[in-house]
Amino acid sequence: MKTFLGRSILLILKVVGGIIAVAAVSFGILLLFITITEYRPQDKEPAEIIGEAALTKESVELAKPIDIVSWNIGYCGLGAGQDFFMDGGTMVRPSDKKEVEENLAGVIETLKRYPSDFYFIQEMDKSSKRSYYIDQTAALAEALGTALTYTYNFKASYVPYPIPPIGKVASGVGLFTRYPFTDAYRFALPVPFKWPVSTVNLKRCMLIIRFPLESGRELVTAVLHLEAYDEGEGKIAQTKAVVDFIRAEYEAGNYVIAGGDFNQIFPGSRSLYPLYDGLWAPGVMDGGLLPEGWHFAVDDRVPSCRLNNAPYRSALSDENIRKKWPYYVIDGFIVSPNISIMSVETLDESFRYADHNPVKLRVTLNP
């Protein structure tokens, strides 16, 4: 009996040991794969041009109103029917491809209702499992009839978490416009994560595009989407890099507009949209961050972002739920002192097709 029991225990130990060995080898292979295939962009590299729409021959003009819409479209996977596991929800991606297609159609329809000179768009997927591999960049460029300047800020062959895993991601930020430009490139921002987490995490950046002016100076635009799920140091370092860059451009005589999703509460809006204990919360922007004469262009009358801790569909039909939802103002612009802000408005689209509302800015470049 003892011999049989001993053999049984030995067999169990061998099986368990074999399982552990296979798991360790599999993990090692996965770690090697994501390390070898890690997206490693240069500090500065050319942006991609998507679409064949011809640019106008007219350049940006001084003293003429310029309209800009900025929108984080949430890879068309964070509409009213979805939540997100990193925000306290359970979903990794929408339950089926149709939901992504419906959100994308809604995004296109919304953008068409707000004709603008520039569209600053964040979280556009090009080839990602989470959005069923729909090329949103091509779909938007075709629908808007405008060429897209695009660069990645999240590119990974395989993201192995959670369960089920995120899988392949190819996503980025872009700018749609018909104005001719002289240069378009990716400007890398600091990465707060260390290996191995950094291998499958976002590589944040600014998309920089330079538009020539008759005066010989330039309008410099920066489309950005700063860190969301760091401990805070990433947002601080990235914001400092943004301010250093735009300040240098202004000191060189240029006009500068930086816009997008800052993932930080702008000065003055915290009392309107408080933080919630136990839930994801954005950073808090330093009120003294900008040099004298610079301005935040933000509208806090309507929240620009909702939390994805649960599907928002119930809030659309129930005012009591809607009023209690966690909201933030984290989307907007920074403009240089030589630009006049005529208006800025967070467009209330009720978060139907994305977890952010678009923000529309109207400015003029001062002669």
Side-chain angles (χ1 to χ4, degrees):
M1 180 68 180
K2 289 183 179 179
T3 303
F4 174 76
L5 182 62
R7 289 176 178 175
S8 297
I9 293 173
L10 183 61
L11 178 61
I12 292 171
L13 291 175
K14 286 182 177 179
V15 170
V16 172
I19 293 172
I20 293 174
V22 170
V25 171
S26 299
F27 179 75
I29 292 173
L30 174 62
L31 197 60
L32 180 63
F33 172 74
I34 62 177
T35 300
I36 292 173
T37 62
E38 180 183 0
Y39 175 48
R40 297 182 178 89
Q42 301 297 314
D43 290 343
K44 179 180 176 180
E45 58 185 38
E48 181 180 358
I49 308 299
I50 299 172
E52 299 179 354
L55 300 173
T56 67
K57 294 181 180 179
E58 299 177 358
S59 60
V60 177
E61 297 180 25
L62 301 181
K64 180 182 178 180
I66 297 171
D67 290 324
I68 305 172
V69 167
S70 174
W71 196 5
N72 180 337
I73 64 171
Y75 54 90
C76 297
L78 295 172
Q82 293 87 40
D83 62 25
F84 187 53
F85 75 99
M86 291 290 285
D87 286 1
T90 61
M91 301 176 71
V92 177
R93 67 173 181 167
S95 57
D96 59 54
K97 184 177 181 180
K98 183 179 178 182
E99 291 187 74
V100 178
E101 292 171 336
E102 290 174 348
N103 290 333
L104 178 57
V107 166
I108 290 171
E109 184 274 330
T110 302
L111 290 173
K112 286 184 174 180
R113 282 193 282 110
Y114 300 107
S116 297
D117 300 292
F118 302 95
Y119 295 98
F120 290 16
I121 308 297
Q122 305 97 57
E123 286 203 74
M124 274 188 291
D125 275 9
K126 195 172 184 183
S127 178
S128 303
K129 178 183 177 182
R130 64 184 185 179
S131 53
Y132 294 86
Y133 301 101
I134 296 172
D135 187 348
Q136 299 166 6
T137 64
L140 284 164
E142 181 179 359
L144 295 175
T146 307
L148 164 65
T149 306
Y150 180 82
T151 193
Y152 293 109
N153 67 359
F154 192 9
K155 191 176 183 183
S157 299
Y158 187 76
V159 181
Y161 61 86
I163 303 295
I166 295 172
K168 180 185 177 183
V169 180
S171 185
V173 299
L175 185 147
F176 295 90
T177 187
R178 292 184 181 277
Y179 282 116
F181 52 87
T182 56
D183 197 10
Y185 58 92
R186 184 189 195 279
F187 183 95
L189 295 174
V191 177
F193 304 106
K194 305 299 182 183
W195 184 89
V197 176
S198 62
T199 61
V200 294
N201 222 307
L202 287 91
K203 303 295 194 300
R204 304 285 181 171
C205 66
M206 290 188 290
L207 171 62
I208 306 299
I209 305 182
R210 299 177 177 277
F211 297 90
L213 305 173
E214 287 187 0
S215 64
R217 299 181 181 185
E218 296 175 316
L219 167 63
V220 180
T221 60
V223 185
L224 55 85
H225 182 194
L226 302 187
E227 209 62 65
Y229 299 106
D230 65 315
E231 296 299 321
E233 74 281 358
K235 296 181 185 68
I236 293 172
Q238 290 168 5
T239 306
K240 182 180 183 302
V242 171
V243 172
D244 288 347
F245 176 87
I246 62 178
R247 184 174 183 174
E249 289 296 332
Y250 172 66
E251 290 175 350
N254 295 322
Y255 299 78
V256 190
I257 302 173
D261 177 359
F262 287 80
N263 271 314
Q264 296 168 86
I265 299 171
F266 290 93
S269 67
R270 183 169 182 174
S271 60
L272 295 173
Y273 307 100
L275 304 181
Y276 289 77
D277 292 336
L279 297 175
W280 178 86
V284 179
M285 189 85 72
D286 179 2
L289 177 72
L290 297 183
E292 184 177 354
W294 288 75
H295 300 283
F296 291 111
V298 180
D299 175 22
D300 59 13
R301 295 170 295 180
V302 174
S304 73
C305 175
R306 63 167 168 82
L307 194 66
N308 294 305
N309 57 319
Y312 194 69
R313 188 168 287 155
S314 60
L316 293 177
S317 57
D318 191 321
E319 186 177 358
N320 290 325
I321 296 177
R322 190 162 60 250
K323 287 181 178 179
K324 296 177 182 179
W325 208 276
Y327 300 107
Y328 307 109
V329 175
I330 60 177
D331 302 86
F333 302 87
I334 299 175
V335 300
S336 56
N338 50 1
I339 297 177
S340 295
I341 300 172
M342 300 178 67
S343 65
V344 58
E345 179 184 7
T346 301
L347 305 171
D348 191 356
E349 293 297 320
S350 300
F351 303 112
R352 284 184 174 84
Y353 308 118
D355 57 333
H356 291 249
N357 277 322
V359 181
K360 186 169 185 177
L361 174 69
R362 172 168 283 191
V363 298
T364 57
L365 310 184
N366 300 332

